Amino acid sequence: MATNQFDTSLPSIRQVQKCIKEKLTVEFRLMTGDLITGRIFWQDHNCICVFDGNNEQIMVWKQAIAYMKPFSDTVA
Amino acid sequence: MATNQFDTSLPSIRQVQKCIKEKLTVEFRLMTGDLITGRIFWQDHNCICVFDGNNEQIMVWKQAIAYMKPFSDTVA
Amino acid sequence: MATNQFDTSLPSIRQVQKCIKEKLTVEFRLMTGDLITGRIFWQDHNCICVFDGNNEQIMVWKQAIAYMKPFSDTVA
Amino acid sequence: MATNQFDTSLPSIRQVQKCIKEKLTVEFRLMTGDLITGRIFWQDHNCICVFDGNNEQIMVWKQAIAYMKPFSDTVA
Amino acid sequence: MATNQFDTSLPSIRQVQKCIKEKLTVEFRLMTGDLITGRIFWQDHNCICVFDGNNEQIMVWKQAIAYMKPFSDTVA
Amino acid sequence: MATNQFDTSLPSIRQVQKCIKEKLTVEFRLMTGDLITGRIFWQDHNCICVFDGNNEQIMVWKQAIAYMKPFSDTVA
């Protein structure tokens, strides 16, 4: 299983940083089947922190992420 | 898969420490689909220990966590 | 995903050791959804060995554990 | 669990690179059961980025991939 | 998530070796929910090889194991 | 969780190599519940590449494998 790296030069890490800076709304699909939609507040080695529509702060463990879709890409 | 790090300067680790200090009630969503709600007692490299509503001490393996939502953020 | 550490000074490892010494009955929730209830016989880096109600010796891989609840905490 | 390596000489990494260069449409089966179909845009250590049929940019975590089938192999 | 170690002095590794030597019939519960019953032929760092009732040779990845129960313990 | 090793002297790696050389038809059970049947084309650290009955080339991530059964063992 992938041992995620937190190297800020990696495209995957930069893509999340881009979402933070541009305040994009993204959707996370989790291993549990849950969909988490919101804006990314921060990321670190272990987690990505998301503010959802109710302004709840959800700390998502990276180990649980299946994929991320930036919604703004299709709407903008 | 993310190899979680237990570095107390990481935002994700500090966020859990904040929940411990401020005795916030949080909700954990696990890979099994279970929801564990309670106050965090301690965390270490492997686990987060939670006291649930029945004052049961539940030792949650970090490998099983999908996300955490601090309830107090929305209620307070 | 968390790379579990087997450091006997960690609270999570000590908690399991406490259950062994005090012969507490504990419940493990596994990633499969299974519940394993019994007394812990030993733990090592990979596994926790449990004697269930039928005195069967079940070797649980730590990678499969979602949480552990010590039953004696609530009953005692 | 496999700790994925990102060594560009590995057949598995080269196969994904081949899909990028030749703009092949591939199908990913994820641990969640999801099927993601599209063209691969880039890969790094953690993720594979796919453009699906709606031209949405989906960042798939490698930890969540069960298998990949290059559709063009059978259709071309 | 536990990074399994293959150290032949570990109780969990020795327990499997004991099953091999004594030709015990064991049951493996896998993350998929599958039950694999049979005798263990060999183990290495990645896998445990089992002969099931049909004398089929099943190579089980350790990453997929939830627990093992040695049947002979209760029957003998 | 097991951190798979790609050491060509390991029985589990050699078993896969044997399947490649002898063109055995094998069945893979995946964490998703999928069954992938076919001949193994190659393996590397991350993946095992299988040609299924439709001659489709399926790149299976090792992290997703629960078990492998060589069909030829029982039929030959």
Side-chain angles (χ1 to χ4, degrees), chain F residues 12-27:
Chain F
S12 59
I13 302 295
R14 284 203 323 248
Q15 184 69 22
V16 171
Q17 288 307 119
K18 180 174 175 286
C19 294
I20 295 171
K21 277 189 191 162
E22 300 184 7
K23 297 181 180 175
L24 302 177
T25 300
V26 294
E27 185 183 84

Side-chain angles (χ1 to χ4, degrees), chain C residues 1-2 34 44-46 63, chain E residues 1 3 5 12 29 62 68:
Chain C
M1 184 154 280
D34 291 302
D44 70 5
H45 185 276
N46 304 326
Q63 68 195 0
Chain E
M1 183 153 281
T3 50
Q5 286 198 340
S12 60
R29 174 75 156 177
K62 284 182 176 174
M68 181 187 88

Side-chain angles (χ1 to χ4, degrees), chain A residues 1-4 30-32 34 36 42 44-47 56-64, chain B residues 1-5 10-13 15 29-31 62-63 65-70 73-74:
Chain A
M1 184 155 278
T3 49
N4 284 335
L30 304 190
M31 296 294 198
T32 52
D34 290 303
I36 305 281
W42 52 258
D44 70 6
H45 184 275
N46 303 327
C47 295
E56 282 193 310
Q57 182 181 328
I58 303 173
M59 206 166 84
V60 178
W61 263 254
K62 283 182 176 176
Q63 68 195 1
Chain B
M1 184 155 278
T3 50
N4 284 336
Q5 287 198 340
L10 286 175
S12 59
I13 302 295
Q15 183 69 23
R29 173 77 156 175
L30 304 190
M31 297 294 198
K62 284 182 175 174
Q63 68 195 1
I65 300 174
Y67 63 76
M68 182 187 88
K69 288 201 289 194
D73 281 3
T74 49

Side-chain angles (χ1 to χ4, degrees), chain C residues 23-37:
Chain C
K23 297 183 180 173
L24 303 177
T25 299
V26 294
E27 184 183 87
F28 287 98
R29 174 76 157 177
L30 304 190
M31 297 294 198
T32 52
D34 291 302
L35 286 172
I36 305 280
T37 307

Side-chain angles (χ1 to χ4, degrees), chain D residues 15-32:
Chain D
Q15 184 69 23
V16 171
Q17 288 306 120
K18 180 174 175 284
C19 294
I20 295 171
K21 279 189 190 161
E22 301 184 8
K23 297 182 181 174
L24 302 178
T25 299
V26 294
E27 184 183 85
F28 287 97
R29 174 76 157 175
L30 304 190
M31 296 295 198
T32 52

Side-chain angles (χ1 to χ4, degrees), chain C residues 1-57:
Chain C
M1 184 154 280
T3 50
N4 283 336
Q5 286 198 340
F6 191 66
D7 172 347
T8 53
S9 69
L10 287 176
S12 59
I13 302 295
R14 286 203 323 246
Q15 183 70 21
V16 171
Q17 288 306 120
K18 180 173 175 286
C19 294
I20 295 171
K21 277 189 192 164
E22 301 184 7
K23 297 183 180 173
L24 303 177
T25 299
V26 294
E27 184 183 87
F28 287 98
R29 174 76 157 177
L30 304 190
M31 297 294 198
T32 52
D34 291 302
L35 286 172
I36 305 280
T37 307
R39 290 179 174 193
I40 305 176
F41 186 33
W42 52 259
Q43 67 170 326
D44 70 5
H45 185 276
N46 304 326
C47 294
I48 291 177
C49 188
V50 180
F51 280 110
D52 72 2
N54 306 317
N55 235 26
E56 283 193 310
Q57 182 181 328

